[in-house]
Amino acid sequence: MPILPTSAWSGWLDRRQTALYLSSMIAAALLAWIWPPADGLAQAINPALALMLFATFLSLPLSRLRQALRHRRFLLALCVANFLAVPLLVAGLLHWAALTPVVAIGVAMVLLCPCVDYVVTFSGLGGADSRLLLAATPLLLLLQMLLLPLWLTLLFHDAAIAVSGAPFLAAFLTLIALPLGLAGLCQRWGARSPTGARVNIWLGMLPVPATAVVLALVTASVTPQLAMAGQTVRQVLPVYLLFAVAMPAVGWMVARGFGLDAPAGRAVVFSASTRNALVILPLALTVPGAMPLMPAVVVTQTLVELLAELVYIRWTPRMRFER
């Protein structure tokens, strides 16, 4: 049997990526339901995320990141979508849902913080300019650290919640800075050495398999927690589903309002619709009375969002942004 060239394998993976992602999640959920995974499985998520992001960053023109920071209209649209439109929508959803206080705080903490890691990967798969999102990650991290306490105070007047920057900083160093630095070194090696160029071609096939592994690990690790907190899951599920449906439309309106082109507009849609749950979980567990409800509150959003991402990468490229 002839061995397909790397370009053929990459094309095959790209054409079947949605089916591969959905299959990996279904298989992981079934296996986790039949054979509950060991507690250490969740510890493999961050290394897998780092590998996925390294593969994603390797495919981006990193030498032009500084140029992306000059796109002021995009940065302003990104901030309006994430730090004005999202809080308003979250306030409306919480008023409508009438959740118990601890559950409502967990929902707010998850939905108010924009994702800064795998959103870069999914946005690229959905035809967005993921380079713009990557360049904006430090700004998104800083603003959510500063604004999360403000929004929580406005939403929950009697709740004194201390927000630590440690989880955000740890996520930035391990999931952004380290993979980004390694990807930059590989790109330089590939530009100077034929061997490096060949290695980079092979590494270019990693994004789809690495993303499938991340989806499988996250699904397998959260499935048992969802099964143990069925009532809490039923409370928060409608909120997360409504957010997943409404926020792409809101992001699209913001992007059109700022006159962004299609790749930049799609990046705003993905950023506004994708949240920072994996980073927020350690922070959410510090809320008084968090256990045993808070893990289910956070991981339910993660599972809903991962399924929604599979829809976004198919439908976002069809959105029209030109007036």
Side-chain angles (χ1 to χ4, degrees), residues 154-216:
L154 292 174
L155 289 171
F156 308 101
H157 305 287
D158 299 328
I161 303 168
V163 175
S164 168
F168 298 97
L169 181 59
F172 179 77
L173 292 176
T174 59
L175 300 180
I176 301 296
L178 181 59
L180 182 60
L182 291 175
L185 290 175
C186 285
Q187 286 188 357
R188 288 191 177 185
W189 183 32
R192 297 175 181 178
S193 164
T195 302
R198 286 193 295 272
V199 170
N200 283 348
I201 290 174
W202 282 99
L203 290 175
M205 294 192 297
L206 278 179
V208 173
T211 304
V213 170
V214 168
L215 294 175

Side-chain angles (χ1 to χ4, degrees), residues 62-82:
L62 300 181
S63 60
R64 299 207 297 269
L65 279 184
R66 289 184 181 179
Q67 180 182 352
L69 285 172
R70 298 172 188 163
H71 199 325
R72 294 180 180 177
R73 272 190 301 142
F74 167 77
L75 294 176
L76 186 55
L78 198 65
C79 290
V80 168
N82 278 300

Side-chain angles (χ1 to χ4, degrees), residues 43 53 76 98-99 102 104 110 142 151 153 176 217 219 259 264 315:
Q43 298 177 4
L53 289 163
L76 186 55
L99 303 171
V102 172
V110 172
L142 177 62
W151 284 118
T153 301
I176 301 296
L217 286 173
T219 303
W315 284 99

Side-chain angles (χ1 to χ4, degrees), residues 44-54 117-118 175 179 210 214 218 278:
I45 293 176
N46 276 357
L49 269 174
L51 175 63
M52 180 189 76
L53 289 163
F54 162 75
D117 39 60
Y118 62 53
L175 300 180
V214 168
V218 172
L278 294 175

Side-chain angles (χ1 to χ4, degrees), residues 220-266:
S221 65
V222 305
T223 298
Q225 299 180 54
L226 298 181
M228 291 185 295
Q231 184 176 356
T232 301
V233 172
R234 287 190 291 272
Q235 283 185 24
V236 300
L237 189 58
V239 177
Y240 293 146
L241 289 172
L242 285 172
F243 183 91
V245 171
M247 209 55 227
V250 175
W252 173 78
M253 288 188 288
V254 172
R256 277 183 59 92
F258 280 88
L260 299 181
D261 59 22
R266 292 171 191 145

Side-chain angles (χ1 to χ4, degrees), residues 263-320:
R266 292 171 191 145
V268 171
V269 169
F270 271 95
S271 180
S273 306
T274 311
R275 303 290 90 192
N276 218 11
L278 294 175
V279 175
I280 287 297
L281 180 56
L283 189 62
L285 293 178
T286 65
V287 175
M291 297 299 292
L293 301 178
M294 200 63 80
V297 172
V298 176
V299 300
T300 301
Q301 192 278 334
T302 300
L303 198 54
V304 170
E305 179 174 272
L306 292 178
L307 291 170
E309 296 291 339
L310 303 184
V311 178
Y312 298 161
I313 62 178
R314 296 297 297 270
W315 284 99
T316 305
R318 304 182 186 186
M319 290 181 171
R320 293 182 175 271

